[in-house]
Amino acid sequence: MFSRLSLRTAAHTSRASISRSFSTTDISGKNSKVCAVLGAQWGDEGKGKLADVLAAEYDIVARFNGGDNAGHTLVVDGKKYAFHLLPCGLVYPHTTNFLGNGVVVNVKSLFAELAPLNEGGICTKGRLKVSNRAHLLFDFHQLVDGIQEEKRGKGGIGTTKKGIGPAYTSKATRNGIRVAQLKDWDSFEKSYRALAEAHETMYQVQVDKEGELERLKEYRARMLEDDMIVDGVHFINEAYSQGKKILAEGANACMLDIDYGTYPYVTSSSTTNGGIGTGLGIAPQKIESVIGVVKAYTTRVGSGPFPTELTDDLCGGDLPRGAPGTEIGRHLQEVGAEIGVTTGRKRRCGWFDAALMKYSHMINGYTSMNITKLDVLDDLDEVKIAVAYKNKETGEVLPDGSMPATLEELSAVEPVYETLPGWKTDITNASSFSELPIQAQNYINRIEELVSCKVSYIGVGAKREQMVTKGF
């Protein structure tokens, strides 16, 4: 959660104030025609903070993947707003916000998130558009998600149980229902009943079809009244042709990508750079800047491999209780307030993993990185960076950018660490890179060297204004 400056400024409310000077080497993300903000690790990196900062500079803020399994909180004029499905640009009156075809849309969640915004004085009328090709997520998808996770037992993936995976399953098996079908209620109802009955048969569950249909009919009317449903491909490309600036807001992160993540402990969508084109219908060459958001350490929530982990079972981790380094893992979790916004689960914590980031950068081609939560490391005597992975038995070091594709292969490697001195100084009042202690500067510079990617933003506290810039 973080605070944001008042919306009542001309820079935030006037479309004319948005810069039109586009750059193809824009590490700040402020001067691109299309910019993407992506999670670079296992999610929860603090993407919402940077997306909120950049949204002030953009006309359209778009989600291209996932559903209401994302989560961050914004504070606007003293009021808190939780975002799970909706783009964060809704807090800026000048923006139009868009859910692309790569998103699975829980309409009930959509309106539940809109309500407090409107009640808080942020008018959303006419400012949210949904691609007609996006797939709908229903109550029975959530029900099935829970059943599947329960059946996995101790081998559970750690799903949010929001129905994301089953909704994408319906899409992939070609019996899903697109947003466009809401326009023809008779056709929609027929398709809905068939899909609901198929889930009842497959999973031996009872679905309240009449109840959900009644709610959906009401939501449908509101969507049509507000002209929410659009031809998404035409909408986003027409906006681009008109010179509108587009910010793509990623959900989840690279290591949770359905193809490139630590499968099967991943999400069900394309979370990486390639997912922007397929999830919005925009050509890849139009994306001018991609900012990877990465914590100054590493976290992941739920089960799955975690080479640099420092947390034991008391902190929701996998290490033996009291194992070496677990006191640091607990410190990172407590100081970093590592509790999930969407799930309420404790996040497992570990050292910064440059080996992982080399792989992440190889896939996404980051223009720059936003390092978040550097201040969480303030009290540590020393900080470590995993610079490579090596085989536990043979000692063979994996090539830069190489990431094991199976759980067995990944469990067979261990990190190679480099140790740097800590700074033992409160950095939360730093307003420029030069004001950071030299040890903190060295830590950031070393990350740049290892990943071969510039750092453009550095988070030094939870508030919106506690963001140091570098290189621009």
Side-chain angles (χ1 to χ4, degrees):
M1 182 184 74
F2 49 92
S3 298
R4 203 174 56 72
L5 300 180
S6 172
L7 295 175
R8 309 294 190 261
T9 63
H12 290 177
T13 57
S14 171
R15 184 178 300 276
S17 69
I18 299 174
S19 171
R20 301 294 162 182
S21 176
F22 301 130
S23 167
T24 55
T25 56
D26 175 26
I27 69 167
S28 73
K30 292 185 176 182
N31 303 310
S32 298
K33 197 168 178 182
V34 180
C35 172
V37 174
L38 302 179
Q41 298 162 307
W42 275 292
D44 307 306
E45 299 92 351
K47 298 178 289 294
K49 182 175 180 179
L50 180 62
D52 177 55
V53 169
L54 292 177
E57 311 289 336
Y58 282 80
D59 301 294
I60 294 172
V61 183
R63 280 278 308 273
F64 64 87
N65 76 298
D68 60 341
N69 57 333
H72 59 270
T73 302
L74 302 183
V75 178
V76 182
D77 296 335
K79 298 175 183 177
K80 295 180 183 179
Y81 300 101
F83 287 81
H84 298 283
L85 173 64
L86 301 180
C88 71
L90 278 164
V91 300
Y92 289 99
H94 71 268
T95 64
T96 298
N97 295 263
F98 178 56
L99 297 179
N101 58 273
V103 177
V104 285
V105 181
N106 182 330
V107 181
K108 179 169 61 176
S109 293
L110 183 153
F111 283 103
E113 287 183 41
L114 283 177
L117 290 168
N118 289 306
E119 291 166 3
I122 298 174
C123 179
T124 64
K125 187 173 178 60
R127 298 181 48 233
L128 177 63
K129 304 299 179 183
V130 183
S131 172
N132 54 358
R133 288 178 169 82
H135 277 248
L136 292 164
L137 186 156
F138 301 108
D139 289 350
F140 54 79
H141 285 132
Q142 296 179 317
L143 182 62
V144 167
D145 203 358
I147 292 171
Q148 290 178 333
E149 185 70 357
E150 186 177 343
K151 286 183 176 179
R152 294 183 185 109
K154 291 184 179 179
I157 292 172
T159 172
T160 59
K161 300 181 182 178
K162 294 285 187 178
I164 307 299
Y168 279 114
T169 298
S170 293
K171 176 178 179 177
T173 54
R174 300 181 297 281
N175 60 358
I177 302 174
R178 286 174 160 182
V179 169
Q181 288 184 256
L182 285 170
K183 290 190 171 184
D184 184 340
W185 181 255
D186 290 340
S187 174
F188 169 81
E189 183 177 352
K190 182 179 178 181
S191 296
Y192 170 86
R193 289 187 184 280
L195 186 58
E197 288 165 7
H199 280 73
E200 286 180 317
T201 301
M202 283 189 290
Y203 297 98
Q204 298 298 300
V205 295
Q206 186 65 42
V207 176
D208 180 12
K209 296 185 285 293
E210 305 309 321
E212 186 164 28
L213 280 169
E214 184 178 349
R215 292 189 296 273
L216 286 167
K217 195 167 189 176
E218 178 188 340
Y219 294 142
R220 167 187 180 270
R222 293 167 65 181
M223 292 180 79
L224 295 177
E225 181 183 2
D226 201 24
D227 195 26
M228 280 189 192
I229 303 172
V230 297
D231 179 338
V233 177
H234 180 268
F235 169 81
I236 201 73
N237 284 284
E238 181 72 7
Y240 181 89
S241 297
Q242 292 174 353
K244 301 288 181 65
K245 295 180 65 179
I246 301 165
L247 179 66
E249 183 183 359
N252 313 122
C254 179
M255 298 308 295
L256 295 175
D257 184 271
I258 187 67
D259 290 303
Y260 304 113
T262 47
Y263 189 90
Y265 295 97
V266 295
T267 191
S268 302
S269 64
S270 296
T271 64
T272 47
N273 196 347
I276 302 169
T278 58
L280 292 180
I282 193 168
Q285 64 265 33
K286 293 178 179 176
I287 304 167
E288 295 180 2
S289 58
V290 180
I291 302 179
V293 184
V294 52
K295 279 178 183 164
Y297 47 104
T298 309
T299 66
R300 81 170 296 168
V301 67
S303 304
F306 189 173
T308 66
E309 180 168 21
L310 295 171
T311 39
D312 60 20
D313 64 308
L314 293 175
C315 295
D318 282 356
L319 293 186
R321 188 172 300 185
T326 52
E327 72 284 356
I328 295 174
R330 178 180 291 277
H331 174 83
L332 295 175
Q333 190 178 83
E334 291 177 351
V335 176
E338 295 296 351
I339 305 293
V341 173
T342 298
T343 64
R345 293 177 294 181
K346 291 181 179 179
R347 298 183 188 125
R348 300 154 63 193
C349 300
W351 293 119
F352 186 90
D353 192 338
L356 177 155
M357 279 304 301
K358 294 172 190 178
Y359 173 73
S360 181
H361 180 36
M362 183 181 293
I363 292 167
N364 288 302
Y366 301 122
T367 313
S368 68
M369 294 182 289
N370 168 202
I371 304 290
T372 65
K373 292 192 168 184
L374 184 64
D375 56 297
V376 174
L377 307 181
D378 282 356
D379 295 329
L380 300 181
D381 294 321
E382 60 182 26
V383 289
K384 293 185 178 183
I385 300 175
V387 298
Y389 294 150
K390 68 176 181 180
N391 186 281
K392 293 177 183 177
E393 293 186 5
T394 66
E396 181 183 0
V397 176
L398 274 63
D400 279 356
S402 176
M403 179 64 62
T406 69
L407 301 181
E408 292 76 17
E409 290 174 332
L410 190 52
S411 65
V413 303
E414 62 185 6
V416 177
Y417 284 114
E418 184 174 295
T419 302
L420 286 76
W423 40 96
K424 303 288 287 185
T425 304
D426 183 348
I427 64 169
T428 56
N429 291 318
S431 58
S432 67
F433 185 71
S434 62
E435 290 181 17
L436 294 174
I438 188 63
Q439 296 90 339
Q441 292 184 38
N442 290 340
Y443 183 68
I444 296 297
N445 289 335
R446 185 58 179 144
I447 288 173
E448 284 187 330
E449 292 172 0
L450 289 166
V451 182
S452 298
C453 182
K454 297 184 180 197
V455 170
S456 51
Y457 296 93
I458 304 161
V460 295
K463 295 179 180 178
R464 180 186 190 274
E465 57 269 24
Q466 289 177 299
M467 183 92 85
V468 170
T469 60
K470 183 178 187 289
F472 69 94

